[in-house]
Amino acid sequence: MKTIGISRQAMVAALVGVAMVGSFSLAPQIFSPEAGAQPIQIEAPRGAPLSFADLIEQVEPAVVSVNVTTEREVGRMADMQEFFEQFRGMPGLDEFMEQRRQEEEEEPETREGRSLGSGFFISKDGYIVTNNHVVEGATAIQVVLKDGTELDAELVGTDAQSDLAVLKISRREPFPFVEFGDSTQSRPGDWVIAIGNPFGLGGTVTSGIVSAVYRNTGQGGAYDRYIQTDTAINRGNSGGPLFDMQGNVIGINNAIFSPSGGSVGIGFAIPAEIAAPIVQKLRDGVEIERGYLGVSIQPVDDDLADSLGIPQNRGEFIQGVQPGEAAEQAGIRPGDIVTKIDGQEVTPDQTLSFLVANIAPGTTIPVELVRDGETRRVTLTVGKRPSEEELRQQQQFNPDIEDEDPMEPGENAVIEERLGLQVLPLTAQIARQLGAGADTQGLVVARVDPNSDAARKRLQRGDIILTANYRQVRSLDDLESIIRTAESEDREAVLLRVQRRGQPAAYVAVRLR
């Protein structure tokens, strides 16, 4: 279960969304193998029910516990460090510690971990919906049915941005399953029920009401739009269903707001009508394409609204524009306030991110914005959102930021230790930011150790390494291999060919350390 804080001032670095998909059934139906996989209609009770037992008896068999096994690398030296501190200065200790460090680099130790979550069947042939964060990094997944049966599950597809995942069980007999409902038909005060596996206590039922429909938590992103409920949701409930009184899954339990880590009556579920098309694409193995503008945005709060003389809670403020992306091509600038996109108002509950998320890449749309107090209209063609890895690299690297902090360990210890550099693959997006050609290949310098020879040779953030020892470098592995070859040949330096913005490429010999 994710625990989140609420901040209306959150800055969103990129806009994302899902492409529109074909029709998807949202009929309020529940299926049971005992009934020959035919829909069972449940009449909703009027007012406060005397008991939820009849409803739970029918839907609970479709809910499963999800047990996940993971493996992670751990440092043996970290476990030994405290022990050896008390013997510091002993003869031969430093040499022994250095030997252990080298052994650890060559053969990192892995440790098995386990985590728990929830899920539910959406088809009689064994498809299960859960959260991506429940199964992330899984080496093995088991689901536990209501009767205690344990079955191995295959990971069919995941989508980190919406935090959804689909599993599959191959057993032949039909499974009891439920279908998605439509949370837009819910109102604050409606009864809801959560069933899941909190703290490993499978088959736990909790009830409450809808506290808010389409709550924006301020965390940013295209999917910051949840059903809020006071139904008790705790660790292990992630991925489980939130039912209405007809037995429809109107939400997928996803996160809580809690200063203590436990339920305090503020839980969040992904709305069914947002999850359903994504789940369908994951089932079908179809690529999920999302719209992208290439801007960083900020909500229009009191101070910003007063400074600009515009109404609060209307539109979103553009802080930055990515070079070459859809927004820049349409003439959108930092300082603009986007108030409408494709004819729809931009509000706290209907954010710019969410609206773009539901526009297919390649679609041409009108955008209304305020600039210098005047309303303007532009037309733009929505771009395609980069991959998660590309977005992480963009967020990690910003050429306009001067990083003077000490260099912390990154992804490649060999490059960092031998050259004193942290580097990233040069994506097309970063190349545009640096003014390099789209066909430029290499690695971009993200950080430089101030105590390294690279720093003394004045390498800096934003430099592009094109070659090393006359060999082209397209990945971190390429550069690491060249460094290891140089060491095996007893060379004490590596010759880098470096491209800097506005300057011709030059060769720089950097000593190894």
Side-chain angles (χ1 to χ4, degrees), residues 110-250:
T110 59
R111 187 170 295 172
E112 187 176 274
R114 296 186 181 276
S115 59
L116 302 172
S118 305
F120 56 97
F121 285 107
I122 57 168
S123 68
K124 65 180 180 181
D125 55 346
Y127 282 97
I128 295 170
V129 173
T130 187
N131 283 152
N132 173 71
H133 76 260
V134 169
V135 297
E136 191 171 17
T139 56
I141 304 172
Q142 262 195 344
V143 299
V144 184
L145 308 186
K146 182 179 183 298
D147 62 6
T149 303
E150 297 182 359
L151 298 170
D152 292 333
E154 171 195 357
L155 186 60
V156 174
T158 63
D159 181 50
Q161 188 62 33
S162 62
D163 199 18
L164 292 169
V166 174
L167 313 177
K168 177 72 165 63
I169 293 176
S170 299
R171 200 177 73 175
R172 291 186 177 180
E173 54 264 40
F175 293 95
F177 67 99
V178 290
E179 285 197 333
F180 287 112
D182 184 355
S183 75
T184 62
Q185 304 303 311
S186 301
R187 298 178 299 165
D190 283 348
W191 284 103
V192 284
I193 294 171
I195 305 179
N197 184 32
F199 304 112
L201 303 173
T204 296
V205 179
T206 55
S207 67
I209 63 170
V210 173
S211 303
V213 179
Y214 284 170
R215 172 71 74 197
N216 186 321
T217 67
Q219 298 303 299
Y223 297 102
D224 186 15
R225 190 166 172 154
Y226 298 96
I227 304 167
Q228 182 184 329
T229 178
D230 70 347
T231 306
I233 295 173
N234 286 286
R235 298 184 185 278
N237 273 116
S238 286
L242 187 70
F243 290 106
D244 65 12
M245 291 299 96
Q246 284 81 29
N248 301 311
V249 177
I250 63 167

Side-chain angles (χ1 to χ4, degrees), residues 288-327:
I288 298 174
E289 293 186 343
R290 296 184 166 91
Y292 183 74
L293 295 188
V295 295
S296 56
I297 58 177
Q298 176 182 340
V300 179
D301 58 15
D302 286 332
D303 293 340
L304 190 55
D306 289 342
S307 68
L308 298 170
I310 61 174
Q312 185 192 0
N313 293 332
R314 179 173 179 263
E316 292 194 63
F317 185 81
I318 304 298
Q319 282 282 7
V321 179
Q322 294 282 355
E325 296 295 345

Side-chain angles (χ1 to χ4, degrees), residues 11-32:
M11 182 70 65
V12 186
L15 300 180
V16 295
V18 293
M20 301 299 290
V21 300
S23 61
F24 187 85
S25 172
L26 297 177
Q29 300 172 337
I30 297 177
F31 291 77
S32 168

Side-chain angles (χ1 to χ4, degrees), residues 295-407:
V295 295
S296 56
I297 58 177
Q298 176 182 340
V300 179
D301 58 15
D302 286 332
D303 293 340
L304 190 55
D306 289 342
S307 68
L308 298 170
I310 61 174
Q312 185 192 0
N313 293 332
R314 179 173 179 263
E316 292 194 63
F317 185 81
I318 304 298
Q319 282 282 7
V321 179
Q322 294 282 355
E325 296 295 345
E328 186 196 54
Q329 292 176 4
I332 295 176
R333 306 174 186 172
D336 290 344
I337 302 97
V338 176
T339 55
K340 281 186 182 181
I341 187 159
D342 201 18
Q344 300 184 71
E345 294 275 356
V346 177
T347 67
D349 292 329
Q350 189 167 259
T351 64
L352 186 59
S353 300
F354 177 78
L355 293 173
V356 172
N358 288 279
I359 301 173
T363 305
T364 300
I365 58 171
V367 176
E368 186 175 292
L369 54 88
V370 176
R371 179 184 298 165
D372 298 328
E374 297 181 0
T375 299
R376 298 171 181 250
R377 291 172 180 82
V378 299
T379 300
L380 63 75
T381 300
V382 177
K384 180 181 176 182
R385 180 183 183 274
S387 68
E388 292 298 313
E389 179 60 28
E390 288 173 328
L391 285 176
R392 277 194 295 270
Q393 290 173 0
Q394 290 174 24
Q395 293 165 6
Q396 185 176 351
F397 177 79
N398 184 337
D400 298 325
I401 295 177
E402 294 184 7
D403 190 353
E404 298 180 354
D405 294 333
M407 195 170 77

